[in-house]
Amino acid sequence: MTDIGSSRPAAQAFELVLDKGESRVAEFEVRARSPLQKLQHFLHANPTAVPAIVLLLSVAAFGFTVGPRFLSMFNLSLIIQQVTIIGVIGAAQTLIVITAGIDLSVGAIMVLCSVIMGKLAVTIGLPAPIALVVGVAAGAGCGVLNGTLVTRLKLPPFIVTLGTWSIFFALNLWYSASETIRSQEVAKIAPLLQALGTPVNVLGARFTYGSFFMLGLVASIWFALNRTAFGRHLYAVGDDPDAARLSGIRTDRILFSVYVIAGVICALGAWTLIGRIGSISPQAGQTANLDSITAVVVGGASLFGGRGSIIGTLIGALIVGVFRNGLALSDVDVLWQEFAVGWLIIIAVALDQWIRKVSA
Amino acid sequence: MRQSLGLIAAFALALGSTSSFAADKSIVGLITKTNTNPFFVKMKAGADEAAKANDVELRSFAGKVDGDNESQVAAIEDLIAAGAKGILITPNDSRAIVPAVEKARAAGILVIALDTPLDPPNAADATFATDNFLAGEMIGQWAAKTLGAKAASAKIALLDLNVNQISVDVARDQGFLKGFGIDLGNPAKIGDEKDARIVGHDVTLGSEEGGRKAMENLLQKNPDISLVYTINEPAAAGAYEALRSVGRDKDVLIVSVDGGCPGVRNVKDSVIGATSMQFPLLMAAKGVEAVKTFASGGGKPKSSPGLDFVNTGVELVTDKPVGEMPSIDSAAALKKCWG
């Protein structure tokens, strides 16, 4: 008790035991990561890596089994043409899925808009640009209805769009009287409606304006999602709407605008649809809902929201396209093509769940 | 409990009163596969007209999508409850609908299958349909004769409906191959033929979009395709777009089945070489008449000689007739497309 001022009082005999004890307070346990875990972390940090790898592997696998017929520039560019519509509609679906929603009405909006464009331009004879603008406005209108029901009445998107799918499809049948407008008539009276089907040859590959349109759309959505406040808000709303609201994001306004944007994209999808199939058929687009969801899921987005990328969706659509084209060229019966695509979806989601365990 | 009994009683009363109210007019039910396909829209128009002409009350139902059996079963139940005299049905599932049809027949209702036979066909009182095998056979023969010597080295693509191998799909596909002179293997199965001239089969869901994709993929398998069979005219229009985009639209022959107005115009524009026209409007009209006859004490309709259905006819539509094959040109066909 004599040396109070010194920094380290001499230890008393009973205190000596402390020196041998644990002196660390708290710390994280750092285990050596196995290569598998490193891969898991890498994939978690790069959400488009998995679909990109799957795409490369499936192209390589079909290239190996089918040979040059599959790997030709022409065939590979053909696959891009074949996925154009689903790529565009999938882009709309991606935005909705990121907000933890789902849009079952995308196919119906697309076909309704295509019929409106065709009726106005070909049957009624309005100038094609006006028909196009009205068609896009109609798509926006469909989105306004979806968005209002989701944000004002607080109905689940699944229910809202299940209902509006029927409504839009019925309107389409009523307005078109179930009648197809033939390709030849469209070409004669309103060629602008088919403009996105115009082919462009590049070194043996063949693209259409529609393919470039799809790439442009994906690029601009990528920019909006990753480089603008709107995009970051979208992810925040999808991940945790309450937290997003508390941090000052106007969640309802974001949600509403997403449905309107999706409606506009579907209307643009209608334009690519007319370009691709030439004619305007009220029967078209019947599988677009599920195909777009397939592309989104295979592309690595989570149906629970907050996770997903537009590039992933494009790659997801391409994977399905590669599978269908490759299996068709391998002489695989269409029955087994369906079977394979089914497994593709399940494996994609299982893989996604495994990658998410990193953060758990 | 008492409340619910009361409700049931009231409901039964209401049902009884509506059926007694309508008793002065016989009720005819029309149940189509979907109300979206223009073929069935035409069929409904035919039934509507015939119902007015025969002074019967028509009630129309449809499945939600192709293959939707449940809605059709519900429609049959509704019609039994309403006291209908006859039901005209295009089954979405030829086999699964049979128990519901048996219930209706047990209730004394005349059941007529339109366009698609039940399985077994005698599960319905009668079937009014296109001879789909013949429809296929006619375009097959026309194609063989049109190609002439080149038929021996033809490269054939077949664009079918879907993976289910339903009777109409199989009959048209196999009829076409037989008409073209190809050994069928099992005539009840698509895709078991061994002939080297067949490049491949693919499915289209009967749509333009499906037709285009299927044609593109088959062209990748063999770019020398010279003849394309399509299940219907929308699929043919899609196939044509695919051929046009690779500059093969002039030298590939497309044949089809259906006879819808857009399809006939495509024959006129040389998009389709020949198509077989069927007559859904006639099927429905004949069906309504048969119910009227049955309701006023007349008998049940009898099948055409040698067939297990009433043949409502099929005509070959082409602007390039061959030899002795009877056909009508597109101008004549346009006046009665699907009539």
Side-chain angles (χ1 to χ4, degrees), chain B residues 172-195:
Chain B
R172 288 182 189 174
D173 175 289
Q174 299 288 292
F176 163 78
L177 290 174
K178 175 159 183 275
F180 196 75
I182 283 173
D183 183 31
L184 294 186
N186 179 358
K189 194 175 185 316
I190 291 175
D192 64 338
E193 305 82 17
K194 300 275 182 286
D195 200 301

Side-chain angles (χ1 to χ4, degrees), chain B residues 30-55:
Chain B
L30 173 71
I31 308 173
T32 50
K33 282 191 185 178
T34 66
N35 53 21
T36 61
N37 187 325
F39 182 84
F40 297 116
V41 173
K42 201 79 179 185
M43 187 180 265
K44 185 167 174 291
D48 271 329
E49 271 173 45
K52 279 195 196 91
N54 287 287
D55 198 33

Side-chain angles (χ1 to χ4, degrees), chain A residues 69 74-75 78 82 169 173 178 180 182-184 206 276-277 279 281 283 285 325 328-329 331 334, chain B residues 36-38 41 163 202-203 205 208-209 212-213 216-217 220-221 240-241 245-246 262 265-266 269 271:
Chain A
R69 234 176 5 171
F74 185 85
N75 190 52
L78 179 67
Q82 291 181 333
F169 197 66
L173 293 175
S178 286
T180 300
R182 292 160 63 242
S183 178
Q184 286 74 9
R206 174 190 287 251
R276 171 137 172 91
I277 66 174
S279 51
S281 162
Q283 310 285 320
N325 175 280
L329 293 192
D331 245 336
V334 277
Chain B
T36 61
N37 187 325
V41 173
V163 297
D202 205 343
V203 299
L205 303 178
E208 285 89 350
E209 216 178 330
R212 171 151 194 182
K213 198 177 281 180
E216 285 171 345
N217 287 344
Q220 286 307 296
K221 272 179 83 175
Y240 181 79
E241 290 296 317
S245 82
V246 291
R265 285 194 199 100
N266 276 346
D269 288 346
V271 169

Side-chain angles (χ1 to χ4, degrees), chain A residues 73-89:
Chain A
M73 284 299 279
F74 185 85
N75 190 52
L76 293 178
S77 59
L78 179 67
I79 294 172
I80 294 176
Q81 278 187 54
Q82 291 181 333
V83 303
T84 302
I85 297 163
I86 291 309
V88 172
I89 298 299

Side-chain angles (χ1 to χ4, degrees), chain B residues 3-25:
Chain B
Q3 230 177 356
S4 60
L5 273 179
L7 264 177
I8 291 171
F11 186 63
L13 213 69
L15 263 181
S17 66
T18 49
S19 55
S20 67
F21 170 73
D24 50 341
K25 264 193 180 187

Side-chain angles (χ1 to χ4, degrees), chain B residues 272-334:
Chain B
I272 298 173
T275 189
S276 286
M277 181 183 286
Q278 38 178 359
F279 300 96
L281 207 135
L282 189 68
M283 287 173 204
K286 282 194 159 189
V288 171
E289 278 165 27
V291 174
K292 175 76 176 177
T293 311
F294 175 75
S296 46
K300 295 176 176 178
K302 296 202 168 42
S303 294
S304 306
L307 297 170
D308 54 5
F309 59 93
V310 179
N311 190 351
T312 52
V314 56
E315 286 190 57
L316 184 68
V317 178
T318 181
D319 287 338
K320 299 179 187 85
V322 288
E324 63 280 21
M325 281 194 81
S327 64
I328 57 175
D329 66 8
S330 59
L334 259 185

Side-chain angles (χ1 to χ4, degrees), chain A residues 69-137:
Chain A
R69 234 176 5 171
F70 175 82
L71 278 182
S72 72
M73 284 299 279
F74 185 85
N75 190 52
L76 293 178
S77 59
L78 179 67
I79 294 172
I80 294 176
Q81 278 187 54
Q82 291 181 333
V83 303
T84 302
I85 297 163
I86 291 309
V88 172
I89 298 299
Q93 192 71 264
T94 307
L95 295 177
I96 308 266
V97 166
I98 288 174
T99 67
I102 196 154
D103 192 339
L104 300 176
S105 68
V106 285
I109 298 179
M110 173 174 72
V111 65
L112 176 62
C113 294
S114 75
V115 163
I116 289 174
M117 292 171 184
K119 268 272 195 180
L120 293 181
V122 180
T123 316
I124 298 177
L126 285 179
I130 293 178
L132 210 53
V133 170
V134 176
V136 172

